[in-house]
Each structure stands twice: as structure tokens, then as C-alpha cells.
Amino acid sequence: MCGIIGYTGPRPAASVLIDGLKRLEYRGYDSAGLAVVAGGRIQQAKAVGKVKALEEAVAGSGALGSLVGCGIAHTRWATHGVPSEVNAHPHFDESGNFAIVHNGIVENYQELRRHLEARGCHFRSQTDSEVLAHLIAGAYEGDLLSATAAALEQVSGTYGLAVVSRHHPGMLVVARKGSPIVIGLGKNENFVASDIAPLLPYTREVIYLNDGDIAAVTAETIDLRNIKNVPVEREVAKIDWDAGVAEKGNFPHFMLKEIFEQPETIENAIRGRIDHEMGTALLNGMNLTARELAQITRIVIAGCGSSMHAGLVGEYYFEDIAGISTSVEQAAEFRYRNPIIEPNTLVIPISQSGETADTIAAVREAAAKGALITALCNVVGSTIAREAGRGIYLHAGPEISVASTKAFTSQVVVLLLYALLLGRNRRLNRADGNELACEIEAVPGLIRQVLKQAPKIREIAQRYAHCDDFFYIGRGCLYPTALEGALKLKEISYIHAEGYHAAELKHGPISLLDERHPVMALANDIPGKDKIIGNIQECRARKSPVVAVITEGDDSVRAFTDDVIEIPACSRFIAPLPTTVALQLFAYYIAVERGCEIDQPRNLAKSVTVE
Ligand code: AGP
């Protein structure tokens, strides 16, 4: 979950590195550091806390901030060793001739450390990463790329790695296995990073390294090989994200900006993907014929967090619309439990970042069992997107806030399009397919109506900001919607919120209900509403305050609630989308009221690239 940036070229390296780290901070942020090779030596600065602290350290270190040369930098999300300056990257070998920044886990670092210490190496940090610097120094015989390759041959685990050495001014060596590394191509300058966000102000042309790739990068050249030292070719991808999109604009937080972007991001997810003539969806990126789609007899969805919740909504879609037996797996479970995959099983990994370690492993497990795999990702060229080989991009643009909002709703929309396609590939007729297609196209308008309610939702949220616990309940597609709503509140407000199937409350959790345990009830006017009214009454009988999401104008629920959030009328398939936006706003305004850090909540990182 760490962020890496490297630069080689004529600009003062530290300014490029610091700017890049600021754009990576959402990946992990308990400490940061940088190293610049200039004047025959490596100069460094490190700081605990956010990148701002590092920027101040560089400003106070005299010449470092203006040095022209090559450099590497890192913002850390600790996996081994507490957040501290000594554990912050870059890490150095004993001589100080080599510096590295690393994202990933060196699983055999203790054994390697013992061998290195037995050979007289002295370690400064508690991290696993530091062994890499010592291994490279020990393997160095004049060629930095070969020394790095030789060092990595001894490593088991994962790495996105960047290396500099005072012996090779102007050169960055990068390598990748399990943690992303991308090279940004400039004019008389080049960049390396753990994802594309820090590259956007400088270049739109990037090369994604594959697992096992290693490269020596200078301002003018890129020598790309595999770990066996064989030259490899990688395509140059063109990034169409606008740098401004990765900025906050006039919103106080990325999260609010991304909530308000959802009408447009859902329009982007739909664009070019509906065929009214045939009443179906067009998902051509999958390169699957109608005949191949018709042979699918079972679907397994794998993901983590919000992506898993989106999959749980998709389960209803695939079974109810397409009539295909579907299950959803937490990706870490899927990868380890020896899942049953038959020849006609379709596996759908869902991942906004495309770099979640457990979901990558789930893709590999599915592939090893011969599954047909189509991924849902947001990041072009991400590991899951490439290893799945087929899939559907969300086109939601960079999602910077750690709490997923626009990616989740785009995942749900794409799953609905996918179910429409598979449904029309089976028993859904053209007219019904077209009716659903029209409902999908109306979603951005519904969300715009919910966003207009933001002031009212804020007013309600402020009344519940003092709560320490919250229950979210729903039925049908609104059950996973309740799970996602509870996750949003948990992760940004630190309130202990739990999502439950509404019918499940009376099987135990209801014992907790009292005036201090409010309930968010998803009581939209869709099948099952009468049952949830009964559940609301059960909650009220225990003195729990009840906030309900209701269909506007539906007074049948209002009488049993303390507060209501009204959303536009829509079908049971569409209801999760506007409802989720209302719950995102509810969580956001509670977190703001509680003075919480919104875009980078404590303990979290945007992409969980370690197990
Ligand atoms: C969602 O708000 C969280 N940030 C988290 O649950 C996230 O959805 C999960 O880590 C999966 O990430 P991915 O979609 O990038 O794989």
C-alpha cells in the first residue's frame, strides 16, 4: 500500500518527488522519505507523518531541495516496523552507495537478514525492505541492473522496487513482482511510480511493468528486461485521465467531489454500451461471442470490501435477470479454499485499483482452474485488468478518496449491464431488455435528484453524529446496499456501524437495540417494503431511533421513523444506486461533523497490495 515515485532528468529532483508523493499519499501515509543522487553522493531526507512533514524537512536541509539529478521517494503504510524515521524509506546499504524504495513484502527477510548480519551487515531499521539494499550492494559488480536482478533472485514475496546508486548518477533501476510499477515517458526526462496519478502533470505515455520485469531508466533511455536478463518489449499506453480530475476542484474533500461526480461517472460507465435496437448491452471489450456467453452455467464473483459488496448486488442481478446461478466470494477466501470451478464457470473479479493482492491471487487461482475470467476494473492496465485478459473498465476516472464511492456505483451499473447482456442471451425478451436499458440510462438523473438533497441529508446526519453505534438494514438488493452504507460510515467516521439483512435482526442483534443504537432502514418502495416496515416497528419497540430511506411521497413508512431521506421512485434493480449515494452523503456529513480525516482515514490505504 505504499507509494513510490522516481525521477531522472533536468528538473530539481526533490520538487518532482515531493509533488509526486502528494499525489500518492492516499496509498498509505504514516511516513515518507526521498533520496537524490548528485555530486557523487546520495542525499536523503525522511519524516514521520504526512508528506508535508517531509517537504518541510527538505526545505530545511539546504541544497537538497535544488539538487539536479535522479532521485526516488516513498510514502509508507507500515507492514513491518512501526512508523518512524528510521523505518521510513529510502533504505540504504551499509556504505550508503545504494538506496531503495519498496512496496510489497519480503517474506523471507528474516532469513536473509540473518545471513547478511552473519556476513557483517548492520541493519538500521525493523523493516523487511532494508534487506534489499544490502543484497544489491552485495551483488554489485559494476552493473546496477544486474546487481538488482541478482538480489531479487534471492527474494520471495512481492516488490515494486526503485533503486539508485551513487555509482550510476542519472539512473533509476525498477523492478516489479506483485506490486505495480509504471514508467512515465517524458522528453529528456523519465519517471517511475507505483501508479499513474503522480505522472499526470508530466506525461500521458506510460509503460506498465509486468511481474518479473526489471528496467534501467535514464533521462534518455529505458533498458527493459525480464529477471533472467532477457530484453522484453512492453507497449506504451496512453492515459486519457485529465490531471485536474485528480485534483479536488472546489470541493473540500476528494470524497465529496467523487460523490458528486457520480452522475457523470455512471454516464461514462454506460456510454456506448446500450443497444436499444436489440434491447441489450454492448460489452465488446470482453471479446466473447454470444455462443460463448450462452455456455456459461455458473458465475463466481470475487472481490474485497466495497468491490465485494458490489458483487453481492450483482448476484441478485445475474440470478434474477439472467437466470444464472451466482455466488460471491471474499477474494482471500476464494484464493485459499480450493474453489470448485467447472468448465462453464465464469469468474468475475471486481477491483477498482486492479492491484488488490487477494483479488489478484483469486484471478490466478481461477485461471489455474481453467475458468473463463472477465474482470471489472477502474485502472487501465492494472494487474488484474491485464492478467484477467478480458473485462470491462469502469471509466470512473481516478478515485482518490480511500473510501470508495463512484467506483462502487459504477461497478454496480456495469454488473447490471452485464446481467442485461446475459439475460438477453437467454430468456429476457427484447422489449423487457429495452425497458431495463432505459431504466439504466435514467440512473444519472436519479442520482442528480439525490444530490440535490445534500443539505437535507447533512441536517439529518448532524443529528446522529454523536452516535457510537449504528445498524443498517435492508432486504433484496438493498441488503448488500446496507452493508456498503455501513462500511462507508465505519471507515470515515469511526462509528461502529453494522449492516444486516433486515430479517436477521431478530436472530440476535436486536438484543443490542435501545435509544443509543439508531437504525438506518432501507425502506424504498420495492418488493419487501411491507416486511421492512415490520422490522422498523421491531426497532422502534426497543426505543431505537430510526432513519429510513424511502421513496419520495411514500407516507406508509414515515409514520414509523424519526427521520426520512427521500429518493426518487425506481425499480428494485435500480434502487441500490440512488440509495447508496444518499448513504455516502449521510456518512460523509457525519464524519465532517465529527471532525474526522475524510480522504485518508486512519489505518486505511486505497489499495491493499499486501495479503
Ligand atoms: C472501500 O471504501 C474500501 N476503501 C475498500 O473496502 C476497497 O473497496 C477494497 O480494499 C477493495 O479495493 P479494490 O476495489 O481496489 O480491489
Side-chain angles (χ1 to χ4, degrees), residues 3 42 155 166-167 169 171 250 309 418 440 442 498 536:
I42 305 177
V155 165
R166 71 177 190 81
H167 302 313
M171 179 183 283
N250 57 4
H309 294 160
Y418 207 161
I440 294 169
E498 287 307 322
I536 290 172

Side-chain angles (χ1 to χ4, degrees), residues 66 178 221 224 233 253 306 394 401 416 523:
S66 54
T221 61
L224 183 53
E233 288 288 321
H253 302 106
S306 289
L394 306 183
S401 177
L416 190 49

